[in-house]
Amino acid sequence: MSERRPFPRRALLRCCAALLPVALAWPAWSDERSVQQILQAADAVRNPPGSFSVRLQLTEYRQGRQSANSVLIVYARPSPDSGQYRNLVQFVAPARDAGKLMLRNGADLWFYDPSSRASVRISPQQRLLGQASNGDVMTTQLARDYRAELIGREPLKDGEGVQRDSLHLRLSALREDVSYARVDLWVDAVDDRPLMARYYSAEDRLLKTAYFRRYETALGRTRPSETVIIDGLDSGWVTVMRSSEQVLREVPEAWLQRDYLPRFRAQ
């Protein structure tokens, strides 16, 4: 009987070295795009390219009972310099707020009240209605304001109660003037749809959780038509933001200037 020869140690080491990257990569996500490109793709699902307008209805619920309602029209136009959206928000309802305006141009956010004909600087973190802040109703490109890292690939139950294969992204603010210091965002691993987000303060306190749901076809692709926003401390305090009448349109440069606010008329 022939003598069994031991497997060469050097060959064994080479074999292990070759298999190590495969072992480390499994079951890791294998998309060749960068994490920042995934965030850009998720932005494109939420926002159409170019200038547009959209109607938003915000409804606040306390322990299941409707407590407030507001209707806005948002006009959005990307900046030629930064690519970030500039916004003019027109208040439509309730009647006491009709005609009021908010303007965001770069880092500046202004509120205009036609009764006083005065515009005052405000914060994007300030509450607008319920859990929706001023910054929440503005059109934004998250990839312009945040640095993204991939936390992992995770199963997630979306806002419709359906189990999804998702990518968990952690977004860190690049500047202090953005609405949230940190955002945890889950996007569909197949089609980049935003599914859920958690928003945190600079002190790392959970402020709110949002579910993006009721996807419908709008301006050439499927987009979320409803966002459900839940308070970080009181899960019974919920704000539902519904979008409709999304239209590509020219948003004049003049509308996005603070001096023009007293002259703006409902379109």
Side-chain angles (χ1 to χ4, degrees):
M1 184 173 63
S2 62
E3 181 181 356
R4 179 177 295 177
R5 301 179 63 184
F7 194 83
R9 178 181 176 84
R10 185 171 299 176
L12 179 61
L13 292 175
R14 285 200 300 267
C15 181
C16 292
L19 290 174
L20 183 58
V22 176
L24 292 176
W26 180 261
W29 164 71
S30 59
D31 197 315
E32 294 181 354
R33 298 172 300 169
S34 70
V35 183
Q36 206 68 22
Q37 287 173 324
I38 297 171
L39 181 57
Q40 291 170 357
D43 279 339
V45 173
R46 293 185 304 107
N47 305 320
S51 300
F52 68 96
S53 64
V54 61
R55 183 182 182 92
L56 298 181
Q57 178 173 325
L58 282 71
T59 307
E60 178 186 12
Y61 297 90
R62 294 273 194 162
Q63 309 306 321
R65 294 187 174 221
Q66 181 176 330
S67 55
N69 188 71
S70 184
V71 178
L72 314 167
I73 297 178
V74 180
Y75 302 94
R77 173 175 172 151
S79 168
D81 299 327
S82 66
Q84 185 59 277
Y85 280 98
R86 295 172 292 165
N87 293 258
L88 177 66
V89 179
Q90 172 191 347
F91 289 71
V92 176
R96 67 177 182 273
D97 292 331
K100 295 176 181 178
L101 302 169
M102 283 195 302
L103 171 68
R104 186 167 196 170
N105 193 339
D108 297 326
L109 184 60
W110 302 93
F111 175 78
Y112 174 77
D113 188 339
S115 63
S116 63
R117 297 182 65 83
S119 57
V120 295
R121 192 185 292 271
I122 56 176
S123 164
Q125 293 88 1
Q126 182 178 328
R127 291 187 189 275
L128 177 62
L129 184 138
Q131 293 308 305
S133 69
N134 295 329
D136 290 335
V137 302
M138 302 285 183
T139 305
T140 58
Q141 300 277 27
L142 294 174
R144 302 279 180 175
D145 291 340
Y146 292 87
R147 183 187 71 255
E149 62 175 310
L150 179 66
I151 300 301
R153 188 165 186 162
E154 304 172 357
L156 177 75
K157 187 171 288 188
D158 67 10
E160 309 283 358
V162 177
Q163 193 81 359
R164 302 283 185 184
D165 184 16
S166 74
L167 299 176
H168 178 185
L169 310 184
R170 179 152 296 164
L171 314 183
S172 301
L174 296 173
R175 306 187 316 276
E176 293 184 355
D177 59 354
V178 298
S179 299
Y180 305 102
R182 178 166 73 84
V183 181
D184 277 12
L185 176 67
W186 286 261
V187 303
D188 194 296
V190 175
D191 58 13
D192 302 317
R193 291 185 184 187
L195 300 173
M196 186 182 83
R198 290 189 177 130
Y199 302 91
Y200 294 85
S201 68
E203 296 76 30
D204 210 34
R205 177 172 62 90
L206 176 63
L207 300 174
K208 64 187 75 173
T209 299
Y211 288 91
F212 307 97
R213 64 181 199 174
R214 294 196 177 178
Y215 273 78
E216 299 176 356
T217 300
L219 299 179
R221 70 178 300 172
T222 304
R223 307 180 192 278
S225 67
E226 186 173 276
T227 304
V228 179
I229 309 172
I230 305 168
D231 181 70
L233 293 176
D234 181 2
S235 61
W237 189 8
V238 177
T239 303
V240 179
M241 184 164 61
R242 298 181 178 92
S243 63
S244 62
E245 301 177 25
Q246 203 168 46
V247 180
L248 291 176
R249 58 168 300 159
E250 176 64 20
V251 177
E253 182 69 30
W255 292 6
L256 303 170
Q257 306 303 319
R258 180 189 176 196
D259 294 343
Y260 188 80
L261 293 176
R263 290 179 281 162
F264 179 82
R265 297 294 178 267
Q267 304 299 307

